[in-house]
Amino acid sequence: MKLKTYIYAVLSVFLIFAIVFIPANIFFNHQTSSKTNLHFNNKIKESIIKFEAVKNTYALVAQSIFENVINNEEVIGLVKAANAQDDEGKAILRKILYKTLLPLYKNLIKQNINQLHFHLKNSVIFLRFHRPEQFGDSLEGLRYSIDKVNRTFKSEHGFETGRMFNGFRHIFPLIYKNKFSGTVELSYSFNTLREEEMKLSKASYNFIMKTQNVSQTALSSELNKYQNSSLSTKYVLDEQTLSQPEQSKFTKEEIESINKIISLKASKRLESEVPFIIHTPFNSQEVLVVFIPILNVENKQVAYFISYEYDSILPFIHHTHKIELMASALVSLILSILLVLYILSQKRTARALELLATTDSLTGIANRNKLNIILEKSMHLSQRYKLPLSVIFFDIDHFKKINDEHGHDAGDTVLTTIAHLISQHIRQSDIFARWGGEEFIIVLPETEHEMAHMLAEKFRTIISEYKFLPNVTVTCSFGVTQLHNDDDETSLLKRVDNALYSAKDKGRNKVIELS
């Protein structure tokens, strides 16, 4: 393969490879992106469903406890009476209420419902079961949920930051003989939610709250139990949520490391206040971190419930993508090579057919078809730009006699030898063709008739002095002419043909020029 053809083939392979592979690469990238997004969306939906399932389960538990244990005249009567008592009277009623419901509270703790609060109708804390010694502070204006129940006399459910405790709260109105007497609250923390979530999946969990909401609600004495989140300066963590249960897949330190890795992405996306997912390599595996926004009772986003889980599907998607790309590259390369080979084969075939159609099969020089094509173009250029053009027309004298006496092989040898001899003494721009039988034509662009005549004499001498065969002398007769401005192909060839026949008539082995 010639260097030029080789370079053409290599460049063609690369070009076709790019044309085929780039769209395939775009397609497979799109497919992988779609699969990844689908996987992420499914993970987010799965996390939301599990979260809502646990939350709704506890809402039903709280509703059941309220309706079956708390919502009775004995309990509500104590709260109603406390509204009208002085501090000493309230203290007596508080002890009675505490003693009455202490068995319930102990059972609630076993069920991870840590908070049982009673509030008077003016939003003042009457009894905190987890801290019975702390009471009397007003929650009016601090706890939207309690204010709303006080206005609507309807139960309220949802997450809310608090003076001492942040949790998922269920607040019910206490109605005694059709009169509002106060509220009761059953609440559970993130740790409760995490414990139940971990029964449903292999993930680890974390919980972050907006710094602004915590600082506005919590007692100043409670603020030291919060620390800034490494995910964003706008969020804090409750120290009670920092440690991870023994069954957790990640330690506290590992979660902190993951948070630092994804903090740049997370801090931006936390501002969106919508569910999202971030993946990152960790411990030679892929970790999915799912962020579920938490709305408070005012329907405002105030926190994020976060899950951390090793993922096997994303690596499978990426592995499949690599295989698809490698297969696509291989197929593209094979197709490119095959196509280039086909194109080269077609070109070789076309060149062979062209050569067959324009080359004399015996002598290897141009045939009459090619001469007609080139002569027409050469005449057009010469006449257009007023350049000289001459034609030499010659044939072998007594060629039939050579065939008859020495055989056709000898005649073929003479023809091929003459073609070789002439080809060695003409320019690349000259056209040398076999006109037919023993006749040959030489077209000489940019050549005056005098030079053409001299060349014809030179060719005549070379041929006549050459020893073709033992005891065989070969001579040729030559006709020469120059193109006229008004010539066409027919008139030019007619004139040079007449010159050739004049040479024959005058004894052969001569050069005759007709102007």
Side-chain angles (χ1 to χ4, degrees), residues 87-88 90-91 94 118 124-128 131-138 164:
D87 291 344
E88 185 177 348
K90 285 183 174 66
R94 187 178 298 109
F118 283 87
V124 171
I125 289 287
F126 179 59
L127 175 60
R128 290 184 175 99
R131 292 184 184 179
E133 72 283 359
Q134 291 187 337
F135 54 84
D137 50 308
S138 175
M164 301 178 185

Side-chain angles (χ1 to χ4, degrees), residues 17-29:
F17 175 82
I19 292 172
V20 175
F21 179 69
I22 290 175
N25 184 42
I26 293 172
F27 172 77
F28 286 123
N29 284 342

Side-chain angles (χ1 to χ4, degrees), residues 65 69-70 100-109 116 186:
I65 292 170
V69 182
I70 297 175
T100 302
L101 294 182
L102 184 59
L104 169 65
Y105 181 64
K106 289 180 178 179
N107 189 49
L108 290 177
I109 291 175
L116 175 60
L186 294 160

